[in-house]
mmCIF file of all heavy atoms in Angstrom:
data_model
loop_
_atom_site.group_PDB
_atom_site.id
_atom_site.type_symbol
_atom_site.label_atom_id
_atom_site.label_comp_id
_atom_site.label_asym_id
_atom_site.label_seq_id
_atom_site.Cartn_x
_atom_site.Cartn_y
_atom_site.Cartn_z
ATOM 1 N N MET A 1 -0.892 29.429 -38.336
ATOM 2 C CA MET A 1 -1.341 30.082 -37.066
ATOM 3 C C MET A 1 -0.326 29.785 -36.006
ATOM 4 O O MET A 1 0.052 28.639 -35.791
ATOM 5 C CB MET A 1 -2.722 29.534 -36.677
ATOM 6 C CG MET A 1 -3.199 30.048 -35.319
ATOM 7 S SD MET A 1 -4.593 29.111 -34.625
ATOM 8 C CE MET A 1 -5.913 29.641 -35.697
ATOM 9 N N VAL A 2 0.064 30.812 -35.232
ATOM 10 C CA VAL A 2 0.852 30.656 -34.020
ATOM 11 C C VAL A 2 -0.103 30.955 -32.860
ATOM 12 O O VAL A 2 -0.707 32.036 -32.801
ATOM 13 C CB VAL A 2 2.057 31.571 -33.975
ATOM 14 C CG1 VAL A 2 2.896 31.331 -32.699
ATOM 15 C CG2 VAL A 2 2.954 31.336 -35.215
ATOM 16 N N HIS A 3 -0.186 30.022 -31.899
ATOM 17 C CA HIS A 3 -1.106 30.157 -30.791
ATOM 18 C C HIS A 3 -0.385 30.181 -29.485
ATOM 19 O O HIS A 3 0.532 29.337 -29.254
ATOM 20 C CB HIS A 3 -2.132 28.985 -30.778
ATOM 21 C CG HIS A 3 -3.125 29.091 -29.664
ATOM 22 N ND1 HIS A 3 -2.927 28.521 -28.410
ATOM 23 C CD2 HIS A 3 -4.340 29.704 -29.590
ATOM 24 C CE1 HIS A 3 -3.946 28.755 -27.648
ATOM 25 N NE2 HIS A 3 -4.849 29.451 -28.331
ATOM 26 N N TYR A 4 -0.745 31.115 -28.606
ATOM 27 C CA TYR A 4 -0.148 31.178 -27.238
ATOM 28 C C TYR A 4 -1.241 30.874 -26.243
ATOM 29 O O TYR A 4 -2.317 31.494 -26.232
ATOM 30 C CB TYR A 4 0.395 32.595 -26.981
ATOM 31 C CG TYR A 4 0.856 32.834 -25.585
ATOM 32 C CD1 TYR A 4 2.015 32.294 -25.098
ATOM 33 C CD2 TYR A 4 0.087 33.632 -24.728
ATOM 34 C CE1 TYR A 4 2.474 32.536 -23.773
ATOM 35 C CE2 TYR A 4 0.519 33.879 -23.420
ATOM 36 C CZ TYR A 4 1.696 33.312 -22.969
ATOM 37 O OH TYR A 4 2.100 33.535 -21.650
ATOM 38 N N ASP A 5 -0.937 29.864 -25.379
ATOM 39 C CA ASP A 5 -1.846 29.484 -24.333
ATOM 40 C C ASP A 5 -1.433 30.165 -23.041
ATOM 41 O O ASP A 5 -0.360 29.854 -22.482
ATOM 42 C CB ASP A 5 -1.782 27.959 -24.122
ATOM 43 C CG ASP A 5 -2.821 27.419 -23.171
ATOM 44 O OD1 ASP A 5 -2.958 28.010 -22.060
ATOM 45 O OD2 ASP A 5 -3.555 26.460 -23.481
ATOM 46 N N ASN A 6 -2.176 31.099 -22.571
ATOM 47 C CA ASN A 6 -1.821 31.925 -21.420
ATOM 48 C C ASN A 6 -1.741 31.135 -20.133
ATOM 49 O O ASN A 6 -0.976 31.458 -19.218
ATOM 50 C CB ASN A 6 -2.761 33.127 -21.260
ATOM 51 C CG ASN A 6 -2.318 34.089 -20.222
ATOM 52 O OD1 ASN A 6 -1.120 34.407 -20.161
ATOM 53 N ND2 ASN A 6 -3.257 34.589 -19.438
ATOM 54 N N GLU A 7 -2.516 30.113 -20.000
ATOM 55 C CA GLU A 7 -2.545 29.287 -18.797
ATOM 56 C C GLU A 7 -1.279 28.465 -18.667
ATOM 57 O O GLU A 7 -0.652 28.410 -17.606
ATOM 58 C CB GLU A 7 -3.766 28.382 -18.745
ATOM 59 C CG GLU A 7 -3.891 27.547 -17.455
ATOM 60 C CD GLU A 7 -5.128 26.683 -17.411
ATOM 61 O OE1 GLU A 7 -5.915 26.711 -18.376
ATOM 62 O OE2 GLU A 7 -5.277 25.911 -16.453
ATOM 63 N N THR A 8 -0.863 27.809 -19.731
ATOM 64 C CA THR A 8 0.298 26.947 -19.690
ATOM 65 C C THR A 8 1.567 27.667 -20.136
ATOM 66 O O THR A 8 2.682 27.096 -20.051
ATOM 67 C CB THR A 8 0.088 25.735 -20.578
ATOM 68 O OG1 THR A 8 -0.113 26.158 -21.927
ATOM 69 C CG2 THR A 8 -1.129 24.933 -20.099
ATOM 70 N N LYS A 9 1.424 28.895 -20.642
ATOM 71 C CA LYS A 9 2.573 29.642 -21.172
ATOM 72 C C LYS A 9 3.288 28.915 -22.274
ATOM 73 O O LYS A 9 4.532 28.895 -22.329
ATOM 74 C CB LYS A 9 3.558 30.035 -20.057
ATOM 75 C CG LYS A 9 2.941 30.615 -18.824
ATOM 76 C CD LYS A 9 2.153 31.866 -19.063
ATOM 77 C CE LYS A 9 1.537 32.411 -17.798
ATOM 78 N NZ LYS A 9 0.583 33.517 -18.048
ATOM 79 N N THR A 10 2.534 28.272 -23.172
ATOM 80 C CA THR A 10 3.140 27.479 -24.231
ATOM 81 C C THR A 10 2.644 27.982 -25.584
ATOM 82 O O THR A 10 1.593 28.567 -25.713
ATOM 83 C CB THR A 10 2.787 26.007 -24.078
ATOM 84 O OG1 THR A 10 1.300 25.858 -24.051
ATOM 85 C CG2 THR A 10 3.386 25.423 -22.798
ATOM 86 N N LEU A 11 3.448 27.708 -26.605
ATOM 87 C CA LEU A 11 3.164 28.054 -27.990
ATOM 88 C C LEU A 11 2.915 26.814 -28.796
ATOM 89 O O LEU A 11 3.536 25.779 -28.558
ATOM 90 C CB LEU A 11 4.341 28.855 -28.578
ATOM 91 C CG LEU A 11 4.573 30.254 -28.081
ATOM 92 C CD1 LEU A 11 5.926 30.753 -28.527
ATOM 93 C CD2 LEU A 11 3.478 31.245 -28.564
ATOM 94 N N ALA A 12 2.110 26.916 -29.784
ATOM 95 C CA ALA A 12 1.897 25.869 -30.787
ATOM 96 C C ALA A 12 1.705 26.479 -32.150
ATOM 97 O O ALA A 12 1.180 27.620 -32.245
ATOM 98 C CB ALA A 12 0.680 24.982 -30.433
ATOM 99 N N VAL A 13 2.184 25.801 -33.158
ATOM 100 C CA VAL A 13 2.000 26.280 -34.532
ATOM 101 C C VAL A 13 1.083 25.303 -35.293
ATOM 102 O O VAL A 13 1.289 24.068 -35.205
ATOM 103 C CB VAL A 13 3.375 26.353 -35.270
ATOM 104 C CG1 VAL A 13 3.150 26.712 -36.734
ATOM 105 C CG2 VAL A 13 4.276 27.390 -34.594
ATOM 106 N N TYR A 14 0.140 25.853 -36.013
ATOM 107 C CA TYR A 14 -0.764 25.070 -36.822
ATOM 108 C C TYR A 14 -0.455 25.360 -38.294
ATOM 109 O O TYR A 14 -0.590 26.540 -38.725
ATOM 110 C CB TYR A 14 -2.234 25.363 -36.463
ATOM 111 C CG TYR A 14 -2.550 24.924 -35.064
ATOM 112 C CD1 TYR A 14 -2.407 25.812 -33.961
ATOM 113 C CD2 TYR A 14 -3.034 23.640 -34.793
ATOM 114 C CE1 TYR A 14 -2.705 25.392 -32.684
ATOM 115 C CE2 TYR A 14 -3.302 23.244 -33.505
ATOM 116 C CZ TYR A 14 -3.157 24.119 -32.467
ATOM 117 O OH TYR A 14 -3.408 23.716 -31.157
ATOM 118 N N ASP A 15 -0.033 24.339 -39.048
ATOM 119 C CA ASP A 15 0.373 24.464 -40.421
ATOM 120 C C ASP A 15 -0.749 24.049 -41.312
ATOM 121 O O ASP A 15 -1.085 22.859 -41.365
ATOM 122 C CB ASP A 15 1.648 23.640 -40.612
ATOM 123 C CG ASP A 15 2.127 23.567 -42.036
ATOM 124 O OD1 ASP A 15 1.428 24.062 -42.921
ATOM 125 O OD2 ASP A 15 3.184 22.976 -42.293
ATOM 126 N N GLY A 16 -1.340 25.016 -42.005
ATOM 127 C CA GLY A 16 -2.375 24.726 -42.978
ATOM 128 C C GLY A 16 -1.918 25.074 -44.405
ATOM 129 O O GLY A 16 -2.733 25.467 -45.229
ATOM 130 N N ARG A 17 -0.660 24.877 -44.611
ATOM 131 C CA ARG A 17 -0.094 25.180 -45.955
ATOM 132 C C ARG A 17 -0.619 24.184 -46.983
ATOM 133 O O ARG A 17 -0.703 22.953 -46.667
ATOM 134 C CB ARG A 17 1.421 25.056 -45.900
ATOM 135 C CG ARG A 17 2.167 25.459 -47.191
ATOM 136 C CD ARG A 17 1.917 26.861 -47.581
ATOM 137 N NE ARG A 17 2.917 27.365 -48.557
ATOM 138 C CZ ARG A 17 2.785 28.458 -49.264
ATOM 139 N NH1 ARG A 17 1.703 29.202 -49.107
ATOM 140 N NH2 ARG A 17 3.746 28.854 -50.095
ATOM 141 N N GLU A 18 -1.011 24.599 -48.160
ATOM 142 C CA GLU A 18 -1.516 23.724 -49.192
ATOM 143 C C GLU A 18 -0.415 22.744 -49.620
ATOM 144 O O GLU A 18 0.762 22.982 -49.442
ATOM 145 C CB GLU A 18 -1.969 24.480 -50.445
ATOM 146 C CG GLU A 18 -3.083 25.485 -50.143
ATOM 147 C CD GLU A 18 -2.585 26.883 -49.747
ATOM 148 O OE1 GLU A 18 -1.418 26.987 -49.256
ATOM 149 O OE2 GLU A 18 -3.319 27.834 -49.976
ATOM 150 N N SER A 19 -0.837 21.629 -50.193
ATOM 151 C CA SER A 19 0.115 20.634 -50.720
ATOM 152 C C SER A 19 -0.144 20.400 -52.188
ATOM 153 O O SER A 19 -1.262 20.505 -52.676
ATOM 154 C CB SER A 19 -0.007 19.310 -49.891
ATOM 155 O OG SER A 19 -1.296 18.783 -50.006
ATOM 156 N N ALA A 20 0.950 20.032 -52.874
ATOM 157 C CA ALA A 20 0.834 19.748 -54.310
ATOM 158 C C ALA A 20 0.068 18.422 -54.554
ATOM 159 O O ALA A 20 0.095 17.525 -53.659
ATOM 160 C CB ALA A 20 2.242 19.611 -54.913
ATOM 161 N N PRO A 21 -0.620 18.286 -55.663
ATOM 162 C CA PRO A 21 -1.315 17.021 -55.918
ATOM 163 C C PRO A 21 -0.332 15.861 -56.165
ATOM 164 O O PRO A 21 0.869 16.103 -56.454
ATOM 165 C CB PRO A 21 -2.098 17.349 -57.183
ATOM 166 C CG PRO A 21 -1.401 18.482 -57.851
ATOM 167 C CD PRO A 21 -0.791 19.279 -56.675
ATOM 168 N N SER A 22 -0.850 14.661 -56.070
ATOM 169 C CA SER A 22 -0.011 13.507 -56.296
ATOM 170 C C SER A 22 0.506 13.433 -57.711
ATOM 171 O O SER A 22 1.537 12.756 -58.006
ATOM 172 C CB SER A 22 -0.771 12.217 -55.963
ATOM 173 O OG SER A 22 -2.018 12.171 -56.695
ATOM 174 N N GLY A 23 -0.175 14.142 -58.618
ATOM 175 C CA GLY A 23 0.236 14.134 -60.029
ATOM 176 C C GLY A 23 1.212 15.253 -60.381
ATOM 177 O O GLY A 23 1.557 15.428 -61.569
ATOM 178 N N ALA A 24 1.640 16.017 -59.419
ATOM 179 C CA ALA A 24 2.531 17.143 -59.710
ATOM 180 C C ALA A 24 3.906 16.626 -60.193
ATOM 181 O O ALA A 24 4.372 15.587 -59.735
ATOM 182 C CB ALA A 24 2.721 18.031 -58.459
ATOM 183 N N THR A 25 4.559 17.400 -61.079
ATOM 184 C CA THR A 25 5.849 17.035 -61.580
ATOM 185 C C THR A 25 6.839 18.177 -61.455
ATOM 186 O O THR A 25 6.400 19.358 -61.490
ATOM 187 C CB THR A 25 5.770 16.609 -63.069
ATOM 188 O OG1 THR A 25 5.274 17.728 -63.853
ATOM 189 C CG2 THR A 25 4.868 15.426 -63.246
ATOM 190 N N PRO A 26 8.128 17.934 -61.311
ATOM 191 C CA PRO A 26 9.093 19.009 -61.142
ATOM 192 C C PRO A 26 9.122 20.029 -62.290
ATOM 193 O O PRO A 26 9.553 21.206 -62.108
ATOM 194 C CB PRO A 26 10.443 18.283 -61.059
ATOM 195 C CG PRO A 26 10.095 16.908 -60.585
ATOM 196 C CD PRO A 26 8.743 16.618 -61.241
ATOM 197 N N ASP A 27 8.728 19.598 -63.505
ATOM 198 C CA ASP A 27 8.800 20.519 -64.666
ATOM 199 C C ASP A 27 7.441 21.069 -65.078
ATOM 200 O O ASP A 27 7.336 21.568 -66.222
ATOM 201 C CB ASP A 27 9.439 19.751 -65.834
ATOM 202 C CG ASP A 27 8.609 18.522 -66.257
ATOM 203 O OD1 ASP A 27 7.633 18.166 -65.563
ATOM 204 O OD2 ASP A 27 8.988 17.876 -67.272
#
């Protein structure tokens, strides 16, 4: 999500991308 605050004229990005489990392996 990219959010624009009209009062402060600022942007923020919210990253909700999934993450791999602790048991994930490169192969």
